[in-house]
Amino acid sequence: MAEKDIIDVANISFYYGKNKEFKIIDGVSFGTQKGEFLSIIGPSGCGKSTLLRIMAGLIKPSGGKVLFNGRHITGPNKEISFVFQDFALMPWLTNVENVKLGLSLSNMDEDKKQKRAVGLLDQFGLAGFEESYPNMLSGGMKQRVGIARAIASNPTVLLMDEPFSSLDELTANTLRDDVIYMLHNKKISVNSVIMVTHNVEEAVQLSDRIVVLSNKPSRVRRIERVDMKYPRDKHSKQFLKKVDGILADLVE
Ligand code: ADP
Ligand code: MG
């Protein structure tokens, strides 16, 4: 029997304007299962960030619904966390306080929150930076704080909006490996990752499936499966063929 979807995006639309005259998303549907890394790719401005925010319960869709384990998502949920492109750290808070923001929906006592946040920073190679501020960190370190904050509440689903696009390639690659490790490590609660990207190579490197969106108003053009073992050889024929196929779809 096929496994049930953790997240089910059912016929989502999003319009804005006084008379809802601007159509951004036009009936998008797909699901994602436990253990899966799913990417959403599409042209700039096609509504990827909007779609991801709808999935996080941060904005309401104009039509359709998103289900999490069969339940309708109507607002932020501590089982679903978000990683932002620009890290979205609070510059006036220390790194450990930034990680603790990820526990604001939790009823843990203050002491436990502190321990959990310090432990996560340590796990992400940031021991010693607890009491310093985000502006003292490199981009890669900032995004580690962003990911630590996101997983602090032990979420099941991690939503990431172009999380590596503002990092240099070397740093981005290390963080990509960290996310794949997190997904497959049973001790870490995350068991499904959904990433928005406009980088086709990155999508093929990381994903089990890739949802390819059309131009605005966006629809699902196709859903591509990537059946290749990790780590994937970016120079292999199979890899390059996949990248070319998706690129061709995007420029159509
Ligand atoms: P992407 O992440 O794919 O680049 P976005 O989801 O950020 O796309 O935005 C899609 C389009 O919708 C953009 O053209 C953006 O300017 C527009 N948009 C989204 N929400 C609003 C809004 N509430 N008011 C005005 N424009 C919006
Ligand atoms: Mg975006």
Side-chain angles (χ1 to χ4, degrees):
M1 201 176 88
E3 262 206 75
K4 281 233 306 259
D5 288 337
I6 291 190
I7 293 247
D8 192 8
V9 172
N11 202 19
I12 288 291
S13 307
F14 185 78
Y15 314 139
Y16 72 90
K18 239 202 202 136
N19 304 309
K20 310 264 177 207
E21 65 273 37
F22 300 105
K23 272 193 172 183
I24 307 294
I25 302 171
D26 189 21
V28 163
S29 300
F30 58 86
T32 189
Q33 295 187 344
K34 192 173 167 186
E36 195 170 40
F37 193 119
L38 186 97
S39 288
I40 301 169
I41 198 161
S44 171
C46 79
K48 302 183 292 300
S49 296
T50 307
L51 180 60
L52 209 61
R53 279 163 201 266
I54 290 171
M55 293 168 73
L58 299 173
I59 47 181
K60 289 204 185 329
S62 310
K65 57 187 175 182
V66 180
L67 302 176
F68 169 67
N69 283 330
R71 274 181 290 131
H72 191 174
I73 295 176
T74 51
N77 179 328
K78 65 180 175 184
E79 297 233 38
I80 303 174
S81 284
F82 209 95
V83 174
F84 299 86
Q85 175 177 12
D86 58 1
F87 323 127
L89 302 178
M90 306 298 153
W92 60 89
L93 296 180
T94 62
N95 296 319
V96 79
E97 287 167 340
N98 268 288
V99 175
K100 275 156 68 178
L101 286 180
L103 294 167
S104 50
L105 293 178
S106 150
N107 45 20
M108 251 183 218
D109 66 44
E110 191 51 35
D111 221 39
K112 273 209 174 126
K113 283 187 182 175
Q114 178 74 15
K115 279 207 183 98
R116 169 94 179 128
V118 168
L120 280 165
L121 284 174
D122 187 22
Q123 192 180 331
F124 279 90
L126 291 166
F129 291 94
E130 295 84 355
E131 297 309 321
S132 55
Y133 289 84
N135 67 1
M136 312 213 8
L137 305 179
S138 68
M141 291 159 97
K142 283 181 188 155
Q143 194 54 303
R144 288 204 159 91
V145 176
I147 296 173
R149 177 186 55 197
I151 68 167
S153 64
N154 282 321
T156 315
V157 178
L158 198 60
L159 304 176
M160 307 198 294
D161 192 358
E162 306 206 20
F164 312 121
S165 64
S166 58
L167 306 175
D168 66 84
E169 194 47 29
L170 212 64
T171 307
N173 248 330
T174 313
L175 277 181
R176 288 177 187 126
D177 289 345
D178 288 351
V179 172
I180 293 291
Y181 172 81
M182 259 170 33
L183 176 60
H184 296 145
N185 184 338
K186 298 236 167 349
K187 289 193 193 134
I188 298 178
S189 60
V190 172
N191 57 31
S192 154
V193 176
I194 302 176
M195 176 181 75
V196 158
T197 181
H198 61 250
N199 180 337
V200 179
E201 203 177 70
E202 173 177 88
V204 176
Q205 188 185 346
L206 299 177
S207 315
D208 294 297
R209 285 186 306 142
I210 303 171
V211 177
V212 184
L213 297 179
S214 68
N215 267 318
K216 188 167 71 177
S218 60
R219 296 194 177 151
V220 176
R221 253 189 211 280
R222 70 181 165 121
I223 299 179
E224 183 72 31
R225 183 170 286 284
V226 187
D227 264 328
M228 293 162 71
K229 277 210 184 96
Y230 298 111
R232 293 173 176 166
D233 176 7
K234 285 189 189 177
H235 304 287
S236 72
K237 259 197 183 145
Q238 199 185 359
F239 190 98
L240 295 169
K241 197 172 157 211
K242 231 0 143 195
V243 170
D244 282 349
I246 293 170
L247 275 174
D249 243 15
L250 283 173
V251 297
E252 241 173 51

